[in-house]
Amino acid sequence: MRISEYVSFDAVGLAELVAKGEVTPAEVETAARQAAQAVNPRINAIVETWPADDAPGAGSAPLAGVPFLIKDIGVAMAGRRMELGSRLAAGNVARADSSLMARFRRAGLVTFGRTATPEMAYSITTEPLLYGPTRNPWDPERSAGGSSGGAGAAVAAGVVPIAHGTDAAGSLRIPAAYNGLFGLKPTRGRVSMGPDFDEVFNGLAVHGTLSRTVRDSAALLDRISGPEPGDPYSARQPSRPYAEEVTRPPGSLRIGVLSQAWGGRRTTPPVADALSRTVRLLESLGHRVEEAEAGLGAHWEEFVLANARLMAANLTAQVDELATAFGRPVDSSTLEPPTLAGYRYGQRVSGAQFVTALTIRNRVARSLARSFYVHDILLTPTLPELPMPLGSYAEEAEALDGLGWIDRLNDRSPFTMAFNVAGMPAMSVPVTADTETGLPIGMQFAAVHGYEGRLFRLAGQLEQASPWSDRTPTVWAASPARP
């Protein structure tokens, strides 16, 4: 199978070829490896590959034979390293498959490597010291986003049609926006985090995927959703498969628009222009679009402080566990400055402060939920600006404490984290691009708890009305190598 042929299919399309016997899983995997070899030296998205030990029979599962990559955090594959992008966890090998890994196998995916993450997934750009920076395939001098930046860059460059990621503050939606992909953060409890990571950041983090087509994300979510025994959260099961929702009309939706972020950071002109074009597209499709007021239920400073305390306290516990397991010190030889600052900040969070932070989480969830009494969907830019230059996000990071780092995260990505706190599904859709640079611009659509089906219906309609699959980046597996 030639690379040019391989990259022309999405995951569902590749699985159909395999099921029909037109190509073997081994041939598809070989094409994926060739694609990785062609682009990874230029984008540094994949930190390790291995001989795949999955051999699904043709047609034995919905995605049988589709090449796949997992993020270097959150999902454990027996016998493979999971280093969390950190020198502290370097060499860590998983003893057994996590629940999600078992579901990936049952879906028929052929996992042959892991993608880059910032250290402990504690950043919205993927530039860890352990691996070096991941570069954006659209402009290698810019960030691929984070924390699922390796996954985003690999999918955008054509290595795989879909890849695993996680999202605790926008970590699927940010790389989706930066790399021109579809990325949906499911409802809290939709996908099991177990058995070793049951309640990451107290429910802020979820598993999901990044894909070039909407139907791929829908098809895989069908295979991996549902709780495991003992999970602390669960979401109501959908009335029909998500794969079916993609082709169903969404009807005329009441869409509320937030053009400016809660924290006061202004949306830049290129993104504001993209939002205006998206609104006009939605109106042409018969949707009722109007400005929305969606209160957080807390002052912005309260919101940031609560998130800093929740995230830092969780980080501290994880760092202590890793340090004990590997007999390594917790200092600048094992942790980067922002992670070390977060660790030290987390050590100072009291039990009472932690409980207060959980109370604010609850207030945010209830306040945002009330927005959906009058709107079916909330629309925001995924990010207020174009992809940032590499190196810019960590400027003067050494001067920040743990609160300052989380404040920076929320300032640079002010639209995304609220939906993690509320536990609601939200997706970034590459509806449009910057008219001057051609860089992709993502638009975020959020729904009330449990309503991924509504989002998939809208995403499917937008994909038909404003197709993005014919847009390819500068670094593309089927293109000649560029200097």
Side-chain angles (χ1 to χ4, degrees):
M1 187 179 208
R2 297 188 304 274
I3 294 181
S4 58
E5 182 183 11
Y6 167 72
V7 298
S8 69
F9 290 94
D10 65 0
V12 172
L14 289 171
E16 289 172 349
L17 290 180
V18 171
K20 293 174 183 176
E22 296 181 20
V23 66
T24 66
E27 290 171 328
V28 178
E29 182 188 343
T30 296
R33 290 182 182 277
Q34 291 173 341
Q37 292 167 3
V39 302
N40 201 54
R42 289 180 282 163
I43 58 174
N44 194 35
I46 305 167
V47 299
E48 183 187 14
T49 61
W50 50 70
D53 57 8
D54 298 294
S60 61
L63 296 173
V66 174
F68 194 64
L69 296 167
I70 55 175
K71 187 177 177 179
D72 186 35
I73 194 169
V75 59
M77 186 177 188
R80 301 299 178 192
R81 283 186 287 172
M82 180 178 62
E83 298 174 308
L84 293 76
S86 178
R87 293 166 294 169
L88 183 63
N92 177 51
V93 176
R95 296 187 300 271
D97 283 354
S98 62
S99 302
L100 179 59
M101 190 67 232
R103 294 183 185 196
F104 285 151
R105 292 187 193 272
R106 289 197 296 269
L109 297 168
V110 178
T111 303
F112 70 97
R114 58 191 172 109
T115 60
T117 178
E119 184 171 62
M120 305 290 179
Y122 213 63
S123 176
I124 61 170
T125 183
T126 303
E127 304 178 47
L129 288 178
L130 184 64
Y131 318 129
T134 295
R135 298 178 178 274
N136 191 316
W138 295 85
D139 179 350
E141 297 305 311
R142 294 178 185 262
S143 169
S147 63
S148 304
V155 174
V159 177
V160 288
I162 187 169
H164 162 257
T166 62
D167 191 318
S171 294
L172 285 165
R173 291 157 288 159
I174 294 167
Y178 273 16
N179 294 284
L181 303 174
F182 177 77
L184 182 140
K185 180 198 83 68
T187 295
R188 181 182 295 147
R190 175 70 65 210
V191 181
S192 176
M193 302 292 289
D196 295 326
F197 295 94
D198 262 343
E199 198 175 359
V200 181
F201 296 131
N202 294 97
L204 270 64
V206 297
H207 286 295
T209 55
L210 288 154
S211 61
R212 293 198 297 272
T213 66
V214 176
R215 71 174 185 171
D216 277 358
S217 284
L220 187 50
L221 188 56
D222 281 331
R223 310 314 302 176
I224 64 175
S225 65
E228 291 284 340
D231 278 356
Y233 306 109
S234 62
R236 66 171 193 152
Q237 292 304 295
S239 58
R240 65 179 67 87
Y242 294 126
E244 293 182 11
E245 299 284 18
V246 175
T247 57
R248 293 174 65 90
S252 179
L253 298 172
R254 301 168 300 165
I255 299 177
V257 181
L258 291 171
S259 57
Q260 300 297 334
W262 289 286
R265 186 178 184 89
R266 305 301 295 175
T267 300
T268 58
V271 177
D273 175 67
L275 178 62
S276 296
R277 284 182 277 141
T278 301
V279 167
R280 291 196 295 271
L281 174 62
L282 291 165
E283 290 174 335
S284 74
L285 294 171
H287 302 296
R288 291 168 287 168
V289 186
E290 61 183 13
E291 285 290 328
E293 293 184 8
L296 279 179
H299 295 298
W300 182 250
E301 293 75 15
E302 275 187 301
F303 176 81
V304 172
L305 178 61
N307 288 324
R309 286 172 171 170
L310 288 177
M311 297 185 77
N314 278 267
L315 175 70
T316 298
Q318 186 175 30
V319 166
D320 282 339
E321 182 179 353
L322 289 168
T324 299
F326 294 105
R328 291 171 178 157
V330 180
D331 57 27
S332 59
S333 71
T334 56
L335 293 179
E336 298 172 28
T339 319
L340 187 58
Y343 171 80
R344 291 169 175 163
Y345 185 80
Q347 288 180 309
R348 301 193 299 271
V349 175
S350 70
Q353 289 172 334
F354 191 81
V355 171
T356 299
L358 289 174
T359 300
I360 292 173
R361 184 194 68 173
N362 178 57
R363 279 166 45 193
V364 171
R366 294 179 184 276
S367 182
L368 279 180
R370 286 192 287 271
S371 301
F372 293 99
Y373 292 157
V374 293
H375 304 295
D376 300 311
I377 296 285
L378 289 178
L379 164 64
T380 78
T382 306
L383 293 156
E385 59 191 356
L386 297 176
M388 68 184 85
L390 285 169
S392 62
Y393 187 73
E395 289 176 354
E396 301 180 356
E398 294 84 354
L400 298 176
D401 65 2
L403 173 59
W405 183 252
I406 298 303
D407 182 50
R408 175 174 292 189
L409 183 155
N410 279 279
D411 178 60
R412 298 299 291 268
S413 182
F415 293 106
T416 54
M417 195 170 188
F419 299 106
N420 293 85
V421 174
M424 295 170 178
M427 63 183 181
S428 182
V429 184
V431 181
T432 187
D434 178 33
T435 56
E436 182 175 339
T437 64
L439 291 169
I441 297 176
M443 290 293 137
Q444 177 178 240
F445 299 85
V448 75
H449 193 280
Y451 274 72
E452 287 93 331
R454 180 175 289 166
L455 292 177
F456 276 123
R457 290 194 295 273
L458 177 60
Q461 183 188 55
L462 290 171
E463 188 176 32
Q464 290 296 312
S466 181
W468 53 79
S469 61
D470 60 343
R471 305 180 205 150
T472 55
T474 302
V475 181
W476 176 240
S479 299
R482 294 177 171 87

